[in-house]
Amino acid sequence: MEEAIVLYPTPAIGHLISMVELAKLILTHHPSLTAHILIAPQPYNAGSTAPYIAAVSATTPSITFHNLPNVELPPTSSPNHETLTFELLRLNNPILHQSLLSISKGYAIHALIMDFFCSHALSIAADLNIPGYYFYTSGVGTLAYFLYLPTMHRNTTKSFKDLNTLLDIPGLPPIPSSDSPKPLLDRNDEAYKCFLDCSFSMAKSAGIIVNTFESLEPRVKKAISDGLCIRDGPTPPIFCVGPLIASSNKRDDPATPASCLRWLDLQPSQSVVFLCFGSLGLFSVEQLKEIAIGLERSGLRFLWVVRNPPTQDHSLAVKAQPEPDLDLSIRERILSMKSEAKAALCEGGSSFMALAKLSKSWKQ
């Protein structure tokens, strides 16, 4: 029987790309495997992922995408869209169960690798005796926050927005409680409860795969691995296998990061305004025009990551984001980190070795 891994991303494009890059990395080291990626429907309009999925399918035949059917979402009073994501993926559990059973008829599934928001899927993996791993698309700094969240929850009855104190999280500098992620500010909000449940669930997984490399965040990585962030049980293995970045072959495109950096090098220090609104920062044509007019009237140099306005198919641009102008010492540090990141992924590097440990763990 052929061998496979199943990956279960949050349906938003940013999470999907990271998960696909993880699949590509694993397949590079284990070409005998096939990767099956389960695509849940989007609980809100974050743009179509179909063009991206079609492009990957055409170039990487060892990755198979499975589009899961829609589920009906109940109404929610939470102001945070993350609540909808958690709820949709929870309701998807019966479909996930059936999909894994279907795939297992033709493949020996070594692991289910699920996104942070897919916390309810861990119980399905356990029921089917499949090792369940989390894939955390950010760095270990925020991972430490979430792993330590149950401890902070037990230590107070107040919401973070009302706590007015510094949060002392192992491996991190003190963080003002009011600077916590927006969905976690109110402990009575449904989103807070979802994130808290997810924190408990991650601690029970077979391991947590992180899109970072060890020399980028050594202090906090050590704090997690030493068991300082999970106080009521063992800490699962942490596999830093990054950085996972979607590559582009359009090197002559004037909008590539290299071209933007060359332009920035020619500008006076601290003279450029940088605008980037993230993966959900979609603006209408009218809004884009208003922003452009404001920038023009300001008279300032600017670097603006502009994405296509939403159309009928709500397609998304998936280009890498350029960097803003930086102080020379910071810039040198970034260039150094780029070299370290490349070394981490090479044979014998920390990410290379973490990936080897990951594959060894699911074969035990």
Side-chain angles (χ1 to χ4, degrees):
M1 183 177 285
E2 291 187 58
E3 299 175 316
I5 55 171
V6 178
L7 301 98
Y8 189 30
T10 301
I13 188 71
H15 290 256
L16 174 60
I17 290 175
S18 295
M19 191 72 89
V20 169
E21 291 303 313
L22 174 62
K24 289 179 181 178
L25 180 65
I26 292 173
L27 293 174
T28 299
H29 290 258
H30 301 281
S32 62
L33 288 175
T34 58
H36 295 259
I37 300 181
L38 308 180
I39 306 297
Q42 295 183 11
Y44 49 84
N45 180 22
S48 173
T49 57
Y52 173 74
I53 291 171
V56 174
S57 298
T59 56
T60 316
S62 52
I63 295 179
T64 301
F65 292 92
H66 302 260
N67 289 305
L68 305 183
N70 288 319
V71 296
E72 186 174 347
L73 282 170
T76 176
S77 59
S78 173
N80 299 294
H81 69 268
E82 291 87 354
T83 307
L84 292 174
T85 303
F86 277 114
E87 182 63 8
L88 177 136
L89 294 168
R90 184 187 69 82
L91 294 173
N92 243 15
N93 263 7
I95 299 171
L96 171 66
H97 187 275
Q98 187 57 46
S99 297
L100 290 172
L101 285 177
S102 177
I103 294 170
S104 66
K105 291 178 181 178
Y107 299 88
I109 301 175
H110 283 302
L112 172 64
I113 302 175
M114 66 202 81
D115 194 271
F116 177 86
F117 289 92
C118 305
S119 55
H120 294 285
L122 189 63
S123 62
I124 302 299
D127 289 344
L128 297 176
N129 200 28
I130 299 172
Y133 295 81
Y134 274 88
F135 175 51
Y136 193 72
T137 55
S138 299
V140 288
T142 52
L143 175 61
Y145 179 103
F146 285 113
L147 293 178
Y148 198 64
L149 179 61
T151 299
M152 295 188 288
H153 178 79
R154 285 191 294 266
N155 289 343
T156 182
T157 58
K158 290 185 176 181
S159 295
F160 288 140
K161 64 183 176 65
D162 303 319
L163 203 52
N164 192 28
T165 189
L166 294 175
L167 302 177
D168 189 13
I169 300 169
L172 297 177
I175 301 172
S177 56
S178 58
D179 286 347
S180 292
K182 183 182 175 183
L184 295 174
L185 289 174
D186 183 358
R187 69 189 285 135
N188 297 312
D189 188 271
E190 190 62 32
Y192 178 95
K193 298 172 185 176
C194 291
F195 278 103
L196 183 62
D197 288 342
C198 182
S199 298
F200 281 114
S201 180
M202 279 198 296
K204 299 174 183 176
S205 66
I208 304 173
I209 307 164
V210 194
N211 186 9
T212 189
F213 54 102
E214 289 202 21
S215 62
L216 182 64
E217 304 171 90
R219 179 186 170 193
V220 66
K221 164 61 167 59
K222 185 177 187 303
I224 296 174
S225 296
D226 287 349
L228 301 181
C229 294
I230 299 176
R231 296 294 178 86
D232 56 354
T235 298
I238 307 296
F239 304 99
C240 297
V241 302
L244 301 170
I245 302 170
S247 59
S248 172
N249 296 321
K250 299 180 180 179
R251 299 190 180 278
D252 298 327
D253 189 335
T256 60
S259 300
C260 292
L261 286 175
R262 284 194 294 271
W263 177 81
L264 284 168
D265 286 337
L266 300 175
Q267 311 310 313
S269 176
Q270 301 182 24
S271 67
V272 178
V273 175
F274 178 65
L275 294 88
C276 179
F277 297 98
S279 61
L280 294 181
L282 284 172
F283 296 96
S284 66
V285 173
E286 292 74 17
Q287 289 172 319
L288 290 173
K289 286 180 179 178
E290 289 296 319
I291 296 172
I293 291 170
L295 288 169
E296 184 179 19
R297 289 179 178 175
S298 73
L300 297 172
R301 298 172 177 84
F302 63 88
L303 184 60
W304 182 12
V305 181
V306 182
R307 300 171 62 223
N308 293 329
T311 56
Q312 247 184 343
D313 63 356
H314 298 284
S315 59
L316 291 178
V318 288
K319 294 183 178 179
Q321 297 180 356
E323 300 166 352
D325 200 9
L326 299 166
D327 178 83
L328 181 59
S329 61
I330 300 176
R331 187 178 176 84
E332 288 175 347
R333 180 59 180 150
I334 287 179
L335 292 174
S336 173
M337 276 294 161
K338 285 183 177 179
S339 298
E340 292 180 31
K342 186 176 181 180
L345 288 168
C346 291
E347 186 171 354
S350 62
S351 295
F352 181 96
M353 299 304 293
L355 188 63
K357 290 179 181 177
L358 169 64
S359 59
K360 185 178 180 180
S361 71
W362 71 50
K363 291 180 179 180
Q364 290 176 344

